[in-house]
């Protein structure tokens, strides 16, 4: 496999992951959590690097009620998640002006 082919496969894999995560942000147990995660995705999707995507995937595997409490600042995020990503989730505006 040439380096160009390997790079193409890597890009395809990343795009597949982005589609999966976009879907997971939009399909949650509550409309409120969907709103928070969808707005986060809209604001940050393009800037998310591979490490961010992997961490977001792990975050989205958490229980929805726990994740909702974390996104609303009512419960701390597990220490295993980088503050860089979680602070962006906490900063999502719930009301658009």
């Amino acid at each position: 496999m040439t380096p160009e082919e390997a790079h193409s496969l890597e890009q395809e894999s990343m795009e597949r992951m982005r589609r999966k995560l976009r879907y997971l942000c939009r399909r949650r147990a509550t409309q409120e959590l969907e709103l928070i995660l969808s707005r986060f995705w809209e604001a940050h999707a393009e800037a998310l690097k591979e490490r961010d995507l992997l961490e977001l995937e792990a975050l989205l595997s958490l229980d929805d009620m726990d994740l909702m409490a974390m996104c609303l600042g009512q419960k701390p995020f597990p220490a295993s998640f980088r503050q860089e990503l979680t602070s962006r989730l906490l900063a999502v505006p719930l009301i658009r002006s």
Side-chain angles (χ1 to χ4, degrees):
M1 180 180 305
T2 67
E4 292 82 19
E5 291 172 328
H7 181 70
S8 178
L9 287 175
E10 184 179 313
Q11 280 186 311
E12 186 178 314
S13 176
M14 291 292 290
E15 284 306 311
R16 199 172 313 126
M17 179 179 260
R18 286 180 183 281
R19 287 191 303 270
K20 174 186 172 183
L21 294 176
R22 183 181 68 218
Y23 175 82
L24 291 174
C25 285
R26 294 179 177 172
R27 301 293 181 249
R28 305 314 296 186
T30 66
Q31 288 181 332
E32 294 84 0
L33 188 55
E34 285 180 13
L35 177 69
I36 292 167
L37 294 173
S38 292
R39 288 196 177 161
F40 168 82
W41 185 259
E42 290 170 10
H44 301 287
E46 294 298 319
L48 296 176
K49 305 291 184 224
E50 183 176 3
R51 181 178 179 191
D52 298 322
L53 295 173
L54 292 170
E55 190 169 351
L56 180 59
E57 182 178 36
L59 196 68
L60 293 174
S61 72
L62 297 173
D63 175 76
D64 276 359
M65 294 301 109
D66 288 338
L67 185 54
M68 171 80 117
M70 291 173 208
C71 288
L72 294 175
Q74 299 168 343
K75 185 175 183 176
F77 284 94
S80 59
F81 294 103
R82 290 177 300 128
Q83 186 177 358
E84 178 186 335
L85 182 66
T86 58
S87 64
R88 287 188 268 175
L89 264 170
L90 291 172
V92 170
L94 299 180
I95 300 172
R96 289 190 175 159
S97 47

